[in-house]
Amino acid sequence: NAGVTQTPKFRVLKTGQSMTLLCAQDMNHEYMYWYRQDPGMGLRLIHYSVGEGTTAKGEVPDGYNVSRLKKQNFLLGLESAAPSQTSVYFCASRGLEIADTQYFGPGTRLTVL
Amino acid sequence: AQSVAQPEDQVNVAEGNPLTVKCTYSVSGNPYLFWYVQYPNRGLQFLLKYITGDNLVKGSYGFEAEFNKSQTSFHLKKPSALVSDSALYFCAVRDGDTGGFKTIFGAGTRLFVKA
């Protein structure tokens, strides 16, 4: 049982390049989330999904797109990377019950030059 | 809209002394409150949560938190700090009256325990 995994662990991009971050969970969770973590800002919600085929915007969605084609996977895309998107990105998942614990992946450190 | 405030960027405490990490929240409905811990270069790990009932919640590693509805607070506490407790701590909230789909986190408080 791997829990929540993220690929890649590290990535360096040049401004304007695109990339996709992959999150996978093996706990059959309905809800999945993408957060970014920046010093002094805590975790800010980018996008989330409440089930396969659904996505919704969080606090800071601009510049990102997401897809949830399979229940176990949640993809975060950057179409044209900007230096302001340099951050550590965390994926999380949880079950349907409102009190269910969220489980986090190990993070992806992205640098945009 | 739901929000979380952690008023202290850093808390310093001597090993063996009690520690408190503060958190206040704002939701329109019933709050579901969480504490997570993050060690360097790691993801967040769940510590404890408040759903309903007893205002004092006990969690992992000897941590506990006290829910205070009138002060809209959920402070994290530990009677005797360890050096190994040094980490980044996050408070989070879900709003029960809006479905609880989103979990909003505070900015984090860095705990430093000195030997």
Side-chain angles (χ1 to χ4, degrees), chain A residues 9-51:
Chain A
K9 289 184 170 50
F10 304 94
R11 186 73 185 268
V12 178
L13 290 178
K14 295 181 179 178
T15 297
Q17 287 185 318
S18 64
M19 79 163 294
T20 299
L21 282 66
L22 171 64
C23 176
Q25 52 94 5
D26 61 3
M27 296 173 282
N28 201 35
H29 285 165
E30 289 293 334
Y31 297 176
M32 296 187 74
Y33 303 83
W34 276 107
Y35 292 90
R36 58 178 290 172
Q37 182 179 22
D38 303 291
M41 304 292 288
L43 269 71
R44 291 182 291 169
L45 182 62
I46 305 171
H47 286 281
Y48 64 101
S49 169
V50 299

Side-chain angles (χ1 to χ4, degrees), chain B residues 4 7 10-12 16 29 31 33-34 37 39 42 44 51 55-56 60 66-68 71 77 86-87 91 93 95-96:
Chain B
V4 175
Q10 182 165 314
V11 170
N12 299 308
L33 295 153
F34 304 80
V37 60
Y39 297 101
R42 303 287 295 275
L44 276 68
I51 304 168
N55 289 342
L56 186 64
S60 306
E66 187 169 12
F67 171 67
N68 187 315
Q71 297 186 0
K77 301 181 179 184
S86 298
C91 181
V93 67
D95 189 338

Side-chain angles (χ1 to χ4, degrees), chain A residues 1-94:
Chain A
N1 192 341
V4 180
T5 58
Q6 293 182 233
T7 53
K9 289 184 170 50
F10 304 94
R11 186 73 185 268
V12 178
L13 290 178
K14 295 181 179 178
T15 297
Q17 287 185 318
S18 64
M19 79 163 294
T20 299
L21 282 66
L22 171 64
C23 176
Q25 52 94 5
D26 61 3
M27 296 173 282
N28 201 35
H29 285 165
E30 289 293 334
Y31 297 176
M32 296 187 74
Y33 303 83
W34 276 107
Y35 292 90
R36 58 178 290 172
Q37 182 179 22
D38 303 291
M41 304 292 288
L43 269 71
R44 291 182 291 169
L45 182 62
I46 305 171
H47 286 281
Y48 64 101
S49 169
V50 299
E52 182 178 316
T54 74
T55 62
K57 294 180 180 180
E59 300 171 278
V60 289
D62 294 341
Y64 305 95
N65 57 76
V66 287
S67 64
R68 183 101 181 267
L69 298 180
K70 292 183 179 180
K71 185 177 183 179
Q72 63 267 34
N73 295 337
F74 195 30
L75 278 63
L76 178 70
L78 287 73
E79 289 189 347
S80 179
S84 61
Q85 294 178 305
T86 293
S87 188
V88 181
Y89 292 85
F90 288 100
C91 177
S93 72
R94 59 167 261 234

Side-chain angles (χ1 to χ4, degrees), chain B:
Chain B
Q2 61 206 82
S3 65
V4 175
Q6 294 182 242
E8 302 154 315
D9 291 337
Q10 182 165 314
V11 170
N12 299 308
V13 64
E15 188 174 33
N17 283 1
L19 68 88
T20 298
V21 182
K22 296 179 181 178
C23 171
T24 59
Y25 66 91
S26 175
V27 295
S28 57
N30 287 323
Y32 291 76
L33 295 153
F34 304 80
W35 276 102
Y36 285 81
V37 60
Q38 184 183 34
Y39 297 101
N41 300 313
R42 303 287 295 275
L44 276 68
Q45 298 177 31
F46 169 75
L47 276 180
L48 52 79
K49 62 185 174 184
Y50 171 81
I51 304 168
T52 187
D54 194 347
N55 289 342
L56 186 64
V57 179
K58 295 188 183 297
S60 306
Y61 313 119
F63 284 94
E64 57 190 27
E66 187 169 12
F67 171 67
N68 187 315
K69 187 174 183 178
S70 62
Q71 297 186 0
T72 61
S73 67
F74 189 54
H75 300 331
L76 182 69
K77 301 181 179 184
K78 188 173 183 181
S80 179
L82 300 172
V83 172
S84 57
D85 292 331
S86 298
L88 187 57
Y89 290 81
F90 289 97
C91 181
V93 67
R94 285 178 204 155
D95 189 338
D97 281 12
T98 58
F101 302 121
K102 296 190 290 186
T103 307
I104 301 300
F105 286 78
T109 298
R110 189 164 298 281
L111 174 66
F112 181 70
V113 182
K114 184 178 180 181

